[in-house]
Amino acid sequence: MAADGDALLAGTIANPRLWRLGMLLDMEARTLTVAATSTVGEEAVLCRTIRLAEGVTPLRALEDAVYDNPMLLADFDRTTVLLRTPRFAIVPAEIASDTDALADVASLLHTSPDDADERWIAARADGTGAVVAAACDPAIAAFLSRTFADARVRHALVPEISYFAAKAPHSGNAPKLFAVAGAGCADFMAFDGAHFLGATSYACADAADMAYYAAALAQTCGIASPHLRFYVAGEPAGRDALVAALRGFAPCVMPWVFPSGMLADGVDLSTPFPLVILPLCE
């Protein structure tokens, strides 16, 4: 865990071109979590969380966080920015490719006149035929595009859906729901065998909230039954708490554990799950 951006770049990352940078931006929690992963296996994953300043505009807070950490501006092999926002929609790829249709979907999520100015950023979830479209403040979107010109920007659900879509066929033909427990939030993805049905993400106060939303998605997707399998991933303490909560009413609940050797040495599993699996989805 690096103490500051300068030390991480100058003292640990001698050649940024041999590393990939992932960033998880959560404007509601006002955090920017960054993880650098070596492409040649010479170092463990390096991760830190930057708290965004209070009392200033979101744009100013993000600008200060980036410019105070020059590491983020280095010439990495690849840079990916993941957005955690409750304003998103999962749509078929055919709709996402139609500008007017996507605008119609976006309009359904408007809660104020200002929302009409939001920038919608869409990315396909591999292996599903679905696209996750995320709303982003236009000033934030412009800053990311300007500052990280070659970066891939997408909702945090995209790598999670892609990752579990690849794993679902190896988990049997039964309906299954994958849950990812995070710090104050949880993501959920439902599959019928290998077929992707839907996903959602919520802010959650505790494991009971997470269990409720997991059961609600299963009900919505029509897979709630005694045969439903729950797989729970995420930060270890949150994962274990959600496993316990789900076992209060579900007969088949299993923690999701990475096979030995799948992750880089020394990966801190308290790192947000989308950043942990990001190298496995690229």
Side-chain angles (χ1 to χ4, degrees):
M1 187 76 70
D4 60 74
D6 290 326
L8 181 59
L9 178 59
T12 307
I13 301 181
N15 184 356
R17 290 295 301 167
L18 299 178
W19 292 71
R20 290 181 176 177
L21 180 67
M23 294 183 280
L24 177 62
L25 176 61
D26 187 335
M27 295 306 303
E28 294 202 350
R30 298 190 80 84
T31 58
L32 177 66
T33 304
V34 300
T37 307
S38 173
T39 62
V40 295
E42 59 188 20
E43 296 287 350
V45 175
L46 305 171
C47 181
R48 68 186 294 257
T49 296
I50 303 167
R51 300 289 175 183
L52 303 185
E54 302 284 351
V56 297
T57 66
L59 176 60
R60 176 61 184 274
L62 179 59
E63 289 175 334
D64 288 348
V66 170
Y67 295 137
D68 287 347
N69 292 273
M71 168 199 72
L72 305 181
L73 302 173
D75 186 21
F76 286 91
D77 174 62
R78 175 179 291 172
T79 297
T80 303
V81 182
L82 303 178
L83 305 175
R84 181 166 290 287
T85 170
R87 297 180 57 74
F88 69 91
I90 300 176
V91 298
E94 294 79 9
I95 291 180
S97 63
D98 184 324
T99 303
D100 292 336
L102 187 58
D104 289 340
V105 171
S107 69
L108 298 176
L109 298 177
H110 291 170
T111 58
S112 77
D114 292 339
D115 292 342
D117 296 327
E118 287 179 323
R119 164 108 178 264
W120 282 79
I121 299 171
R124 179 187 292 266
D126 293 339
T128 66
V131 167
V132 184
C136 186
D137 178 279
I140 297 293
F143 173 76
L144 293 174
S145 177
R146 182 173 65 251
T147 308
F148 305 102
D150 296 324
R152 303 185 309 166
V153 182
R154 54 206 53 205
H155 194 278
L157 278 172
V158 172
E160 292 181 334
I161 296 172
S162 299
Y163 174 76
F164 287 118
K167 301 302 179 183
H170 305 290
S171 304
N173 294 323
K176 54 189 70 80
L177 191 143
F178 296 97
V180 178
C185 63
D187 302 330
F188 309 95
M189 289 132 281
F191 291 80
D192 187 3
H195 179 62
F196 174 67
L197 299 176
T200 191
S201 177
Y202 288 101
C204 298
D206 52 29
D209 273 0
M210 296 179 187
Y212 169 81
Y213 289 125
L217 179 62
Q219 188 71 38
T220 299
C221 292
I223 57 174
S225 78
H227 304 292
L228 174 62
R229 297 178 180 179
F230 289 92
Y231 295 93
V232 185
E235 179 273 326
R239 177 196 64 200
D240 294 346
L242 179 53
V243 165
L246 287 170
R247 282 178 175 166
F249 62 85
C252 186
V253 182
M254 291 164 281
W256 185 264
V257 179
F258 290 104
S260 176
M262 177 173 286
L263 300 179
D265 292 339
V267 172
D268 182 354
L269 291 181
S270 65
T271 300
F273 191 79
L275 293 178
V276 171
I277 63 170
L278 186 60
L280 305 177
C281 301
E282 294 181 324

